[in-house]
Amino acid sequence: MELKYGLDQIKEASDFILKNIKSKTLLFCGEVGAGKTTLIKELCKKLKVKETVSSPTYTVINEYKVNNDLVIHMDLYRIENKEDINHLGLFEYIDKHFVIIEWPEIIINDLDSNHSIIKIDYLKNNKRKINLKNITV
């Protein structure tokens, strides 16, 4: 599935994602500056996160409380090996909470649960393109 959007259509882009995903594990791929975190902030609003959503580039994992559950936002950009992933307990969150992962390439082939891959490409004139693919394991 594909959607092209402008920055002024970020709400529509997040609606597109929430309408079309088939799991609560979302993997966001895209170059630096593609708009991953901006889109994730809007998704978190739609998921009723009340806290300020920020990029977990340095903290690696941010947890946000939503009702009696959590939204987990991870950024694996600085993770250099799979052993570090195990120490973080990343796989313990999957299938239990809504999990959003930026820079998931290090684990993308190791996931043994359903997930959605959202690839964001930067187009000219501040436009973006989302390719959404649901993976059933």
Side-chain angles (χ1 to χ4, degrees):
M1 286 171 251
E2 182 179 291
L3 174 73
K4 293 180 182 175
Y5 66 100
L7 294 179
D8 59 335
Q9 299 167 307
I10 198 82
K11 290 180 182 181
E12 292 84 352
S14 64
D15 287 339
F16 169 80
I17 291 170
L18 291 172
K19 178 181 172 188
N20 291 294
I21 56 173
K22 304 286 188 229
S23 79
K24 293 182 359 178
T25 301
L26 309 180
L27 310 180
F28 278 80
C29 303
E31 297 297 321
V32 171
K36 296 180 296 294
T37 304
T38 301
L39 186 52
I40 289 167
K41 286 179 181 182
E42 186 61 34
L43 280 172
C44 286
K45 280 185 195 175
K46 302 252 178 183
L47 294 171
K48 308 286 189 229
V49 170
K50 304 231 184 288
E51 300 156 86
T52 300
V53 175
S54 61
S55 175
T57 300
Y58 296 101
T59 58
V60 182
I61 299 174
N62 289 343
E63 293 183 5
Y64 304 108
K65 292 180 183 164
V66 177
N67 298 324
N68 293 326
D69 200 0
L70 295 173
V71 173
I72 308 298
H73 181 193
M74 300 181 187
D75 186 323
L76 304 182
Y77 183 76
R78 298 186 182 285
I79 303 300
E80 295 182 9
N81 60 63
K82 292 181 184 182
E83 291 173 13
D84 291 340
I85 297 292
N86 292 329
H87 288 95
L88 290 171
L90 178 147
F91 295 108
E92 294 173 23
Y93 290 110
I94 294 176
D95 292 331
K96 295 177 186 161
H97 306 289
F98 208 101
V99 177
I100 301 169
I101 304 173
E102 295 184 58
W103 301 100
E105 290 79 2
I106 193 167
I107 61 151
I108 209 161
N109 294 321
D110 297 326
L111 284 178
D112 59 357
S113 63
N114 297 342
H115 56 280
S116 298
I117 299 172
I118 297 108
K119 181 162 185 341
I120 304 174
D121 290 307
Y122 180 80
L123 306 173
K124 60 184 172 183
N125 300 324
N126 283 326
K127 299 283 185 187
R128 306 291 195 277
K129 178 174 71 172
I130 294 173
N131 282 302
L132 188 149
K133 183 176 180 182
N134 291 303
I135 307 296
T136 304
V137 180

